């Protein structure tokens, strides 16, 4: 039972003709893009913006019409995955390395729908290390500042063992805080650190989560405020 695909297919059903759609990044968002490609081949008329080079390439291969960011203005809907989500639809994202572009796309969307399998739903965030995108200059200073907040920090490596670079040319610091009791406060502290470009806490951004379950069912969560 592919729980990710179940969630992706359900969420893609919210896309209507004429919409401008944000395409997420990562293993779950992959299934959403594939499903959207199938709908486009069946006659769905949309324009899309991708949150990463990998998602853009996949969309092109599937025949999904892409528009330049400067022409997209506000998007109608973005469908993306999450590494963790709680019952208040607070998220940790960035496992796929595209957190900055994902957050910018979500911010400029009327509606953000998160798709996930049931293992990503947690009572409290923090089991998954929080990705933080940092500039390359004086990265050691930024890492020390992150450690001062209580994190065990590891700079992400790529498949060749070199420091991973985002599509924006920055590094990713994966920060293990343990249980994050106050995500809003942590987000504020992270934003104060010079050298931090963006962090993977998405708070008050997701409107709905579609969760695929092992028994083939779908759970939906709605943000209350």
């Amino acid at each position: 039972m592919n729980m990710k695909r179940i969630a992706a297919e359900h969420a893609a059903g919210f896309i209507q003709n004429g919409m401008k759609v944000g395409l997420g990044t990562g293993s779950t968002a992959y299934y959403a893009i594939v499903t959207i490609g199938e709908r486009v081949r069946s006659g769905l008329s949309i324009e899309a913006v991708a949150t990463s080079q990998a998602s853009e390439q996949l969309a092109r291969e599937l025949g999904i019409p892409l528009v330049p960011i400067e022409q997209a203005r506000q998007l109608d809907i973005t469908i993306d995955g999450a590494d963790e989500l709680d019952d208040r639809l607070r998220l940790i994202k960035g496992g796929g390395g595209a957190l900055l572009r994902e957050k910018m796309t979500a911010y400029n969307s009327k509606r953000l729908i998160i798709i996930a399998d049931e293992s990503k739903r947690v009572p409290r965030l923090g089991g998954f290390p929080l990705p933080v995108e940092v500039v390359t200059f004086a990265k050691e200073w930024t890492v020390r500042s992150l450690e001062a907040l209580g994190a065990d920090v590891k700079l992400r490596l790529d498949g060749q063992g070199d420091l991973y670079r985002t599509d924006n040319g920055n590094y990713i610091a994966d920060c293990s805080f343990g249980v994050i009791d106050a995500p809003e406060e942590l987000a504020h502290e992270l934003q104060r650190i010079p050298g931090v470009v963006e962090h993977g806490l998405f708070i008050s951004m997701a409107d709905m989560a579609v969760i695929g379950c092992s028994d083939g069912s779908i759970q939906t969560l709605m943000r209350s405020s």
Side-chain angles (χ1 to χ4, degrees), residues 38 96 109 114:
E38 293 170 352
S109 299
I114 294 300

Side-chain angles (χ1 to χ4, degrees), residues 93-156:
K93 288 178 51 56
L99 64 98
L100 173 59
R101 297 190 184 191
E102 289 174 333
K103 189 170 282 189
M104 292 177 70
T105 302
Y107 182 81
N108 287 283
S109 299
K110 295 177 184 177
R111 193 178 190 194
L112 172 62
I113 298 180
I114 294 300
I115 52 177
D117 66 69
E118 61 186 8
S119 69
K120 303 299 176 63
R121 185 177 180 180
V122 296
R124 290 188 292 177
L125 301 178
F128 190 92
L130 176 65
V132 178
E133 186 162 344
V134 302
V135 297
T136 58
F137 174 75
K139 64 183 183 299
E140 295 84 2
W141 289 355
T142 308
V143 167
R144 284 200 292 270
S145 296
L146 293 169
E147 290 173 338
L149 293 179
D152 177 19
V153 182
K154 294 181 180 179
L155 289 173
R156 188 177 299 184

Side-chain angles (χ1 to χ4, degrees), residues 149 182-193 199 201 203:
L149 293 179
E184 293 84 358
E185 293 179 15
L186 178 57
H188 178 71
E189 291 299 320
L190 291 169
Q191 289 164 351
R192 296 178 57 188
I193 298 175
H199 58 79
L201 285 170
I203 297 171

Side-chain angles (χ1 to χ4, degrees), residues 165-199:
R165 292 221 182 213
T166 69
D167 287 347
N168 314 299
N170 299 312
Y171 296 145
I172 294 282
D174 289 310
C175 302
S176 297
F177 286 97
V179 173
I180 300 174
D181 290 315
E184 293 84 358
E185 293 179 15
L186 178 57
H188 178 71
E189 291 299 320
L190 291 169
Q191 289 164 351
R192 296 178 57 188
I193 298 175
V196 168
V197 179
E198 192 51 86
H199 58 79

Side-chain angles (χ1 to χ4, degrees), residues 14-106:
F14 291 100
I15 299 173
Q16 300 175 4
N17 277 321
M19 282 188 168
K20 291 182 171 60
V21 179
L23 306 176
T25 294
S27 61
T28 310
Y30 166 87
Y31 289 105
I33 298 173
V34 169
T35 303
I36 293 167
E38 293 170 352
R39 291 197 61 198
V40 166
R41 289 192 296 275
S42 296
L44 179 68
S45 177
I46 61 168
E47 293 179 332
V49 168
T51 55
S52 66
Q53 293 174 9
S55 292
E56 179 177 340
Q57 179 179 342
L58 177 61
R60 291 191 188 282
E61 292 172 355
L62 296 173
I64 299 173
L66 296 168
V67 293
I69 289 288
E70 61 271 18
Q71 295 179 18
R73 299 179 67 86
Q74 190 176 41
L75 304 177
D76 295 293
I77 190 171
T78 289
I79 298 178
D80 206 348
D83 300 299
E84 282 188 342
L85 67 138
D86 67 12
D87 287 345
R88 293 172 57 184
L89 287 188
R90 297 177 296 188
L91 318 172
I92 286 181
K93 288 178 51 56
L99 64 98
L100 173 59
R101 297 190 184 191
E102 289 174 333
K103 189 170 282 189
M104 292 177 70
T105 302

